[in-house]
Amino acid sequence: MESQQTFVEAITDILIKNNVISHEEAQAMKAQFYDRSKEAFDDFLLSEGLVSKTDLLNALSQYYKVAAFDVIGYFFDHFLVTRFPKDLLRQFAIIPVEVEDENILIMVASHPDNEDMLPLIGDYVSYDVQFMVGLRQDILDSIDEFYDEAITVVDEDTDLQEEHEEEREVHEIEEFD
């Protein structure tokens, strides 16, 4: 891969090599997405059904030279994820997956080659960090899902508080009778 090759050119070349798209489809994509963002290109490929999620993750894995990871359906470790502020995770589209061998933090990132995020990750943990690549929108959805409180939990807590208050009132009335 040449250093001046764009992301779109590189990914389409990988998809051709993997027999996912034709040379003609690649040329059309290169022309349409030449100066667009990586995210716009990823979203387009998936939303138009031009490639499967698996094929795109495989291509991203080859492009970044790291393993791919599909975050959808993965149960993240609460303690590990909450060690980082939600805003930081969303800013870089990263999410921690696990700690290996007690000193290596495995993180999924949409841009695993972004050197700006390493010092910021180091502000929150002292692990060595190893990256895997994932799809940006899936990572953001997982972060939001993880940090959003379930409506039922809030309702149950509210109902429980109301029940306790009613019980206290009934108990206080009975004491004074």
Side-chain angles (χ1 to χ4, degrees), residues 5 16 46 51 58 66 78 102 121-122 129 136 154 160 165:
Q5 188 178 34
I16 291 169
L46 293 172
V51 300
N58 286 337
V66 298
H78 179 79
E102 297 183 25
I121 292 169
V129 179
R136 179 180 179 81
V154 173
L160 189 59
E165 287 177 25

Side-chain angles (χ1 to χ4, degrees), residues 39 87-95 108-111 117 134-137 139-140 143:
E39 290 77 25
D87 292 342
L88 175 73
L89 297 177
R90 285 190 56 79
Q91 175 186 355
F92 291 104
I94 57 175
I95 191 164
V108 178
S110 69
H111 290 277
M117 63 186 158
L135 299 175
R136 179 180 179 81
Q137 191 56 56
I139 294 169
L140 295 176
I143 294 165

Side-chain angles (χ1 to χ4, degrees), residues 103-172:
N103 65 343
I104 299 173
L105 174 63
I106 307 296
M107 293 196 88
V108 178
S110 69
H111 290 277
D113 61 349
N114 184 341
E115 295 176 6
D116 294 338
M117 63 186 158
L118 272 177
L120 296 172
I121 292 169
D123 288 345
Y124 298 95
V125 294
S126 60
Y127 301 115
D128 291 333
V129 179
Q130 181 178 335
F131 289 104
M132 299 174 88
V133 67
L135 299 175
R136 179 180 179 81
Q137 191 56 56
D138 290 351
I139 294 169
L140 295 176
D141 289 346
S142 294
I143 294 165
D144 291 342
E145 183 180 311
F146 188 86
Y147 276 93
D148 290 346
E149 287 191 40
I151 295 171
T152 56
V153 173
V154 173
D155 289 344
E156 288 174 6
D157 289 346
T158 303
D159 290 345
L160 189 59
Q161 288 174 343
E162 289 173 2
E163 283 180 36
H164 285 290
E165 287 177 25
E166 288 174 7
E167 287 174 4
R168 259 187 255 124
E169 289 173 4
V170 168
H171 184 64
E172 289 174 0

